[in-house]
Amino acid sequence: MFQSAAKTLSVSRWILLNVRHYCKKKTASTLRVSEALSATEFGEHVKVRGWVRSVRPQKANLFLHVNDGSSLQSLQVFADAQLNDSLLTFGSAVEVTGVLKKSPHHKQSVELEADKIHVVGKCNPLDFPFKIKERHGLEYIRQFPHLRCRTNAFSSLLRIRSEATAAIHSYFKENGFVHIHTPIITSNDCEGAGELFQVEPSWPKTEEQENFFSVPAFLTVSGQLHLEVMSGAFSRVYTFGPTFRAENSQSRRHLAEFYMVEAELSFTQSIEDLTQVMEDMFRSATEHVLAHCAEDVDLFHKHVTPGHRGTLDSMMKKKFPMITYSEAIDILNHSTQKFVFPTNWGCDLQTEHEKYLVKHCGNIPVFVTDYPYDLKPFYARDNQDRPRHTAAAVDLLVPGVGELCGGSLREERLDLLSARLEKVGLEDTYSWYLDLRRFGSVPHGGFGLGFERFLQCILGVDNIKDVIPFARFSHSCVL
Amino acid sequence: MFQSAAKTLSVSRWILLNVRHYCKKKTASTLRVSEALSATEFGEHVKVRGWVRSVRPQKANLFLHVNDGSSLQSLQVFADAQLNDSLLTFGSAVEVTGVLKKSPHHKQSVELEADKIHVVGKCNPLDFPFKIKERHGLEYIRQFPHLRCRTNAFSSLLRIRSEATAAIHSYFKENGFVHIHTPIITSNDCEGAGELFQVEPSWPKTEEQENFFSVPAFLTVSGQLHLEVMSGAFSRVYTFGPTFRAENSQSRRHLAEFYMVEAELSFTQSIEDLTQVMEDMFRSATEHVLAHCAEDVDLFHKHVTPGHRGTLDSMMKKKFPMITYSEAIDILNHSTQKFVFPTNWGCDLQTEHEKYLVKHCGNIPVFVTDYPYDLKPFYARDNQDRPRHTAAAVDLLVPGVGELCGGSLREERLDLLSARLEKVGLEDTYSWYLDLRRFGSVPHGGFGLGFERFLQCILGVDNIKDVIPFARFSHSCVL
């Protein structure tokens, strides 16, 4: 194009034009797609880089959509058909230089009129597992863990996850919590769950060698006990990190590695000190995500999980009700529904029970408090009630997911705690934990929230593997 | 006290007083120590809870300092000597009710005149390892990982760490990076370092059983390759999480579990695209910490690491210089200092070399670029130069610490990358990684920053175990 133009121009004029072009190119500022889309001043010469999400060559013109992950929406690029290139395919990477213009189309407010399109990285459409204009389901894209971020649905999920993470950190920061990095490798198992991963150096161990850490070491199942350490000096602490279960399950509900948000509050008066923070955090993080990722959330609510928006909206409108475990058992026993698992007082609530209770309460989140003492771990605070002996524990059950949060007041009374630990032969193992009660012990409590379940709850996504960047579960640790 | 007062009052008057007292108690708002300290309105009846940091009983009066972790400064409590209690000891937990007053003392602006002091949790000063008015060294308090947060120095460290974490997240968010939770358990070893932890369920494995994940699984040494996956759809991503090395070392410099900040940028032009972000992030996070944790940082600079503030200030004043590896080798070879390790071109820079280079450049952070190709992992971008064959890699060396960050442009050219992987027999293992170059590959690069080293660099702390809540290293995994 430049060459043919040059023929009709004097050499000096041609040089001048090209110098101008060069200068323009030099000063063309590089914009992210989201910045270009929100431009209010037009006519500027800019550069945009990203991946091609659609190509429409027409007789005279060429239309592209370019996305760089900064927003769900792509930037429409409009060019002379001569700028077309056989390498301009779905999935290829491009650098486009041109002028930002107000778009005449109602679907977008801005478009880029290109004077140069450079294919940075090609993408063979036959080999690329995602096809132009096809809507691939979550299950299909799950087969390509190294590529699925290149689909609209999964890139939206990742932006939502990033924003939800930031929202949770903001909530705690604004409310005076200190962020603690609780350890991943630990020599205690917190809940005595048994489903632990053990950690050892990968090099072969000789007979005489002792453990790397001198003691058996595991991947954490909860940062609670370590947060409790901090609760002896800070009235509010939290952690947000990976936790692990060696659960032999490939279900929609379980991962071997998942993220937990855990908080611990000192000087608690009652279980309501916890439920208030749980509900506040849920609402604050959800509102933040809805406000900052509206487009991305809409993609899910419109195309992936239609109908879920109504459920979410009604969750956000009403205060979360609170019932005791004993009331929950009464509700289940008065139900006409037949349950697989027993509903006697003293039995653990199963997912089927949790789902029924949520429905019964109007399909909104519900707190269940005061569980049977014998169902709860050693650290749960004894309510010292009889004949139905309960502990000051609380779960938050939510639509679709079941248990989202679990928490309790912790037994801060040295005599009660050491008696319970002695009973199970753990008073030596947890002598450090008893120390926390020996020196300036205070009433305290805390809770954990399953972060993936929180995302499922907001988005209505059924399978937990679809809300984490890289899913780990039994027989699967790809990449 | 109330009883003796009651004797001189009519019954109705006594009831009235107690109702008033009750109402007062009910409405006394609970303040955190930091809130009380920044109060500008006085006379309000408030409640403050925390741990006693000092007790000074005098003939008529009692003075306490109460701390709840919300700030380094404690709240001075002033009370009638009659409110003293033998349980009011250093380390005990208290709930104090009283009236906030402007303090007549120049050391604080606010004090709380108590009408009630309730000892919530006692603390036997003979058993408690920290003693009133004693300044315990970092090495001493390290022996009590479950209690050291109750000292001024370590609670300051934890507030600084929390704030630095928030600062780093803010920096990336403000600059359009998407936060990715890269996996902890992984089937690839990134750097081929060999110092890996392997992960297996803790239950005993029978002969026939295969691995839990079907493949050997390890704790991550870097989230880089997983960030590179995301670099095929997002132009800016980062992660901030735990990483692991099974290094048989108990040195001041090494931990088995530590935190890394890693970022990956697509469409890079040169190594300067990385160094700019590295320097920006360093400055932004440091400024944020200095602004938001001034008191806590001062504690370190005044009492723990005197003299370090000057070093930090000069780091912040000057732009970080950049030298090539070849220039670094020349500098070392022209030095009069005798080094233990060789300084031939092609040798890796050792800590002694790094420290010399930092000193040589004015005791400020310095970038070293373009390392020998053969020293760098397979993903580092080939500079295709000769005879001295280098890769586009960069380290940031800082005073006291040595290497703080390491990064590189990544080899985005399919032919070069697959040739290199083929040479070491890894082209099948990394076929997914090659896919990233098959489909819309773009020039990209990234870096990792050792978060504990960053804290050491700001605070001047010599031992890495003193800047992490729970230190894990060979033969040590306490709690």
Side-chain angles (χ1 to χ4, degrees):
Chain A
M1 220 174 110
F2 282 119
Q3 268 189 341
S4 65
K7 281 179 195 160
T8 66
L9 296 169
S10 72
V11 172
S12 64
R13 183 79 202 287
W14 183 83
I15 290 171
L16 189 67
L17 257 176
N18 274 273
V19 166
R20 263 193 207 147
H21 179 76
Y22 179 75
C23 291
K24 254 190 184 171
K25 260 182 77 183
K26 283 293 279 185
T27 54
S29 56
T30 303
L31 292 187
R32 312 188 68 209
V33 165
S34 60
E35 291 165 340
L37 287 172
S38 58
T40 49
E41 282 177 39
F42 302 103
E44 204 198 338
H45 207 83
V46 301
K47 190 187 282 178
V48 170
R49 301 136 160 187
W51 292 268
V52 172
R53 287 288 169 87
S54 83
V55 198
R56 271 190 300 133
Q58 292 178 348
K59 210 172 177 180
N61 300 319
L62 168 71
F63 292 94
L64 296 180
H65 276 102
V66 175
N67 190 289
D68 67 356
S70 59
S71 70
L72 173 61
Q73 224 189 106
S74 299
L75 178 66
Q76 169 149 308
V77 173
F78 162 85
D80 189 293
Q82 288 189 306
L83 292 189
N84 200 1
D85 183 323
S86 62
L87 294 179
L88 268 179
T89 60
F90 179 65
S92 62
V94 292
E95 183 175 282
V96 183
T97 320
V99 178
L100 272 190
K101 300 214 160 165
K102 206 170 157 59
S103 171
H105 308 282
H106 70 281
K107 273 198 175 173
Q108 69 249 344
S109 56
V110 177
E111 61 182 23
L112 182 64
E113 190 177 324
D115 49 46
K116 199 174 165 202
I117 301 175
H118 170 53
V119 178
V120 178
K122 57 192 181 178
C123 179
N124 184 334
L126 295 175
D127 298 336
F128 196 49
F130 310 129
K131 304 303 172 193
I132 193 163
K133 285 186 185 163
E134 262 183 55
R135 182 162 287 147
H136 303 288
L138 294 179
E139 209 167 317
Y140 175 76
I141 67 170
R142 210 186 295 144
Q143 300 171 73
F144 308 96
H146 61 309
L147 298 173
R148 67 172 170 168
C149 60
R150 303 181 187 207
T151 63
N152 277 341
F154 207 68
S155 69
S156 281
L157 182 274
L158 291 170
R159 277 187 299 275
I160 292 167
R161 192 177 162 111
S162 174
E163 200 64 49
T165 303
I168 287 168
H169 283 302
S170 292
Y171 173 80
F172 284 116
K173 193 169 196 311
E174 282 160 21
N175 287 281
F177 285 75
V178 174
H179 182 185
I180 303 290
H181 287 121
T182 51
I184 307 302
I185 302 176
T186 170
S187 51
N188 68 61
D189 68 353
C190 189
E191 316 224 358
E195 289 158 338
L196 293 174
F197 285 110
Q198 194 158 351
V199 174
E200 272 298 320
S202 60
W203 57 75
K205 198 168 137 184
T206 59
E207 277 302 316
E208 320 83 75
Q209 261 181 329
E210 51 178 352
N211 292 316
F212 179 89
F213 292 110
S214 300
V215 292
F218 310 99
L219 294 185
T220 184
V221 296
S222 162
Q224 177 199 320
L225 301 190
H226 299 96
L227 284 185
E228 282 192 72
V229 163
M230 301 305 168
S231 287
F234 296 91
S235 56
R236 293 174 165 209
V237 287
Y238 82 104
T239 188
F240 184 170
T243 47
F244 306 85
R245 296 276 189 295
E247 208 155 2
N248 215 328
S249 162
Q250 300 189 305
S251 83
R252 293 171 297 108
R253 293 172 52 80
H254 295 100
L255 290 171
E257 172 179 324
F258 55 96
Y259 278 74
M260 285 242 286
V261 178
E262 294 179 274
E264 200 70 27
L265 293 93
S266 296
F267 301 100
T268 47
Q269 310 279 332
S270 70
I271 208 92
E272 280 80 4
D273 287 341
L274 304 182
T275 57
Q276 197 188 323
V277 175
M278 286 152 93
E279 184 165 349
D280 272 7
M281 181 189 65
F282 180 93
R283 288 184 190 282
S284 156
T286 305
E287 279 163 11
H288 180 105
V289 169
L290 293 177
H292 291 81
C293 296
E295 260 185 5
D296 293 311
V297 173
D298 274 356
L299 175 104
F300 275 85
H301 289 165
K302 281 186 184 146
H303 303 298
V304 185
T305 54
H308 186 73
R309 185 53 181 254
T311 308
L312 182 63
D313 285 344
S314 81
M315 282 190 226
M316 295 300 283
K317 262 182 214 137
K318 293 177 197 149
K319 192 167 162 51
F320 302 168
M322 194 180 313
I323 58 174
T324 64
Y325 167 88
S326 298
E327 287 165 349
I329 289 294
D330 282 347
I331 292 167
L332 295 173
N333 284 331
H334 282 89
S335 145
T336 54
Q337 188 175 317
K338 290 278 158 270
F339 298 108
V340 178
F341 291 92
T343 55
N344 306 327
W345 199 99
C347 292
D348 220 344
L349 297 181
Q350 303 293 330
T351 305
E352 57 171 353
H353 306 143
E354 293 173 346
K355 289 196 171 171
Y356 182 85
L357 291 168
V358 166
K359 277 260 157 60
H360 177 89
C361 294
N363 212 30
I364 58 168
V366 51
F367 290 110
V368 181
T369 68
D370 302 302
Y371 282 78
Y373 180 80
D374 291 332
L375 286 183
K376 290 293 162 186
F378 68 84
Y379 50 72
R381 193 175 199 273
D382 190 345
N383 276 333
Q384 298 190 295
D385 47 359
R386 294 288 187 288
R388 287 179 159 184
H389 189 189
T390 65
V394 57
D395 280 358
L396 176 61
L397 314 179
V398 299
V401 171
E403 184 188 336
L404 174 69
C405 301
S408 76
L409 298 182
R410 321 305 187 187
E411 189 54 79
E412 88 281 8
R413 295 161 291 188
L414 180 61
D415 51 343
L416 289 174
L417 183 64
S418 60
R420 192 164 190 188
L421 281 169
E422 213 168 295
K423 225 174 170 177
V424 287
L426 286 173
E427 75 275 30
D428 288 339
T429 311
Y430 287 106
S431 71
W432 65 269
Y433 188 68
L434 288 168
D435 266 3
L436 306 180
R437 275 65 176 172
R438 280 190 193 104
F439 305 119
S441 181
V442 299
H444 65 289
F447 66 89
L449 167 140
F451 182 58
E452 282 74 22
R453 291 187 177 181
F454 172 67
L455 295 175
Q456 287 182 276
C457 175
I458 293 183
L459 300 175
V461 171
D462 189 46
N463 194 320
I464 197 166
K465 299 178 187 75
D466 296 328
V467 295
I468 192 163
F470 299 92
R472 272 84 181 88
F473 48 97
S474 74
H475 303 297
S476 183
C477 183
V478 187
L479 316 194
Chain B
M1 218 173 116
F2 283 119
Q3 268 191 340
S4 67
K7 281 179 194 161
T8 66
L9 296 169
S10 71
V11 173
S12 64
R13 182 80 202 285
W14 184 82
I15 289 171
L16 188 68
L17 257 177
N18 275 275
V19 166
R20 263 191 208 148
H21 180 74
Y22 179 76
C23 290
K24 254 189 184 172
K25 262 180 79 180
K26 283 292 278 184
T27 53
S29 57
T30 304
L31 291 187
R32 309 187 70 210
V33 166
S34 60
E35 291 165 339
L37 287 172
S38 59
T40 49
E41 281 177 42
F42 302 100
E44 205 197 339
H45 207 84
V46 301
K47 191 188 279 178
V48 169
R49 301 138 160 182
W51 291 267
V52 173
R53 287 289 169 89
S54 82
V55 199
R56 271 191 298 133
Q58 293 180 346
K59 206 169 180 185
N61 301 320
L62 168 71
F63 291 94
L64 296 180
H65 276 102
V66 175
N67 191 287
D68 66 356
S70 60
S71 70
L72 173 61
Q73 222 190 109
S74 299
L75 178 65
Q76 168 149 310
V77 173
F78 162 86
D80 190 295
Q82 287 190 310
L83 291 189
N84 199 1
D85 183 324
S86 62
L87 295 179
L88 269 179
T89 59
F90 179 64
S92 62
V94 291
E95 183 175 282
V96 183
T97 321
V99 178
L100 272 190
K101 301 215 161 164
K102 206 167 157 56
S103 171
H105 308 284
H106 70 283
K107 274 197 176 175
Q108 70 250 344
S109 57
V110 178
E111 61 182 22
L112 181 64
E113 190 177 324
D115 49 47
K116 199 176 165 198
I117 301 175
H118 170 54
V119 178
V120 178
K122 58 191 181 180
C123 181
N124 184 335
L126 296 174
D127 298 336
F128 195 49
F130 310 128
K131 305 303 170 193
I132 195 163
K133 285 186 187 166
E134 261 183 54
R135 183 163 288 149
H136 304 288
L138 294 179
E139 210 166 317
Y140 175 76
I141 67 170
R142 211 187 294 145
Q143 301 172 71
F144 308 97
H146 61 309
L147 297 173
R148 68 173 170 168
C149 61
R150 304 181 187 206
T151 63
N152 277 342
F154 208 68
S155 68
S156 282
L157 182 274
L158 291 171
R159 277 187 299 274
I160 292 167
R161 191 176 163 112
S162 175
E163 201 63 49
T165 303
I168 287 168
H169 283 301
S170 293
Y171 172 80
F172 284 115
K173 193 169 197 308
E174 281 159 21
N175 287 282
F177 286 75
V178 174
H179 181 186
I180 302 290
H181 287 120
T182 51
I184 306 304
I185 302 176
T186 171
S187 52
N188 67 62
D189 70 352
C190 189
E191 318 223 0
E195 288 159 339
L196 293 174
F197 285 110
Q198 192 158 354
V199 174
E200 272 298 320
S202 61
W203 58 73
K205 197 168 137 184
T206 59
E207 276 302 317
E208 320 85 77
Q209 262 180 332
E210 50 176 357
N211 291 318
F212 179 89
F213 292 112
S214 300
V215 293
F218 309 99
L219 293 185
T220 185
V221 295
S222 162
Q224 178 199 320
L225 301 190
H226 299 96
L227 283 186
E228 283 193 71
V229 163
M230 301 306 169
S231 288
F234 296 91
S235 56
R236 293 174 165 209
V237 286
Y238 82 103
T239 189
F240 184 171
T243 47
F244 306 85
R245 294 278 190 295
E247 208 155 2
N248 216 329
S249 162
Q250 302 189 303
S251 84
R252 292 171 299 109
R253 294 173 51 81
H254 294 100
L255 290 171
E257 172 179 323
F258 55 97
Y259 278 73
M260 285 242 285
V261 178
E262 295 179 273
E264 200 70 27
L265 293 92
S266 297
F267 300 100
T268 47
Q269 310 279 334
S270 71
I271 208 91
E272 281 81 5
D273 287 341
L274 304 182
T275 56
Q276 196 188 323
V277 175
M278 285 152 91
E279 183 164 349
D280 271 8
M281 181 188 66
F282 180 94
R283 287 183 190 282
S284 157
T286 304
E287 278 163 12
H288 180 105
V289 169
L290 292 178
H292 290 80
C293 297
E295 259 185 8
D296 293 311
V297 173
D298 273 357
L299 174 102
F300 274 85
H301 290 167
K302 280 187 184 148
H303 302 299
V304 185
T305 54
H308 186 72
R309 184 53 180 254
T311 308
L312 182 62
D313 285 344
S314 82
M315 283 191 225
M316 295 300 282
K317 264 184 214 137
K318 294 176 197 147
K319 190 164 163 53
F320 302 169
M322 195 181 310
I323 58 174
T324 64
Y325 167 87
S326 298
E327 288 165 346
I329 289 293
D330 282 349
I331 291 167
L332 295 173
N333 285 330
H334 282 90
S335 146
T336 54
Q337 189 174 318
K338 291 279 157 267
F339 298 108
V340 178
F341 291 92
T343 55
N344 307 325
W345 198 98
C347 292
D348 219 346
L349 297 182
Q350 304 294 331
T351 306
E352 57 171 352
H353 306 143
E354 292 173 346
K355 289 196 172 170
Y356 182 85
L357 292 168
V358 166
K359 277 261 158 60
H360 178 89
C361 294
N363 212 29
I364 58 168
V366 52
F367 290 110
V368 181
T369 68
D370 303 301
Y371 281 78
Y373 180 81
D374 291 331
L375 285 183
K376 290 292 162 186
F378 66 86
Y379 50 71
R381 194 175 197 274
D382 191 345
N383 276 334
Q384 298 190 295
D385 46 0
R386 294 285 188 287
R388 289 180 159 183
H389 189 188
T390 64
V394 57
D395 280 357
L396 177 60
L397 314 179
V398 299
V401 171
E403 182 190 338
L404 175 68
C405 302
S408 75
L409 299 182
R410 321 304 188 185
E411 188 53 79
E412 87 282 9
R413 294 160 292 187
L414 181 61
D415 50 344
L416 290 174
L417 183 63
S418 59
R420 191 163 190 187
L421 281 170
E422 213 169 293
K423 225 173 170 177
V424 287
L426 285 173
E427 74 275 30
D428 289 338
T429 311
Y430 287 105
S431 70
W432 65 269
Y433 189 68
L434 289 167
D435 265 3
L436 306 179
R437 277 63 176 173
R438 282 191 191 102
F439 305 119
S441 182
V442 299
H444 65 288
F447 66 89
L449 167 140
F451 182 58
E452 282 75 21
R453 290 186 177 182
F454 172 67
L455 295 175
Q456 286 181 278
C457 175
I458 293 184
L459 299 175
V461 171
D462 188 47
N463 193 321
I464 196 167
K465 300 178 188 76
D466 296 327
V467 294
I468 191 163
F470 299 91
R472 274 82 181 87
F473 49 97
S474 75
H475 302 296
S476 183
C477 183
V478 187
L479 315 195

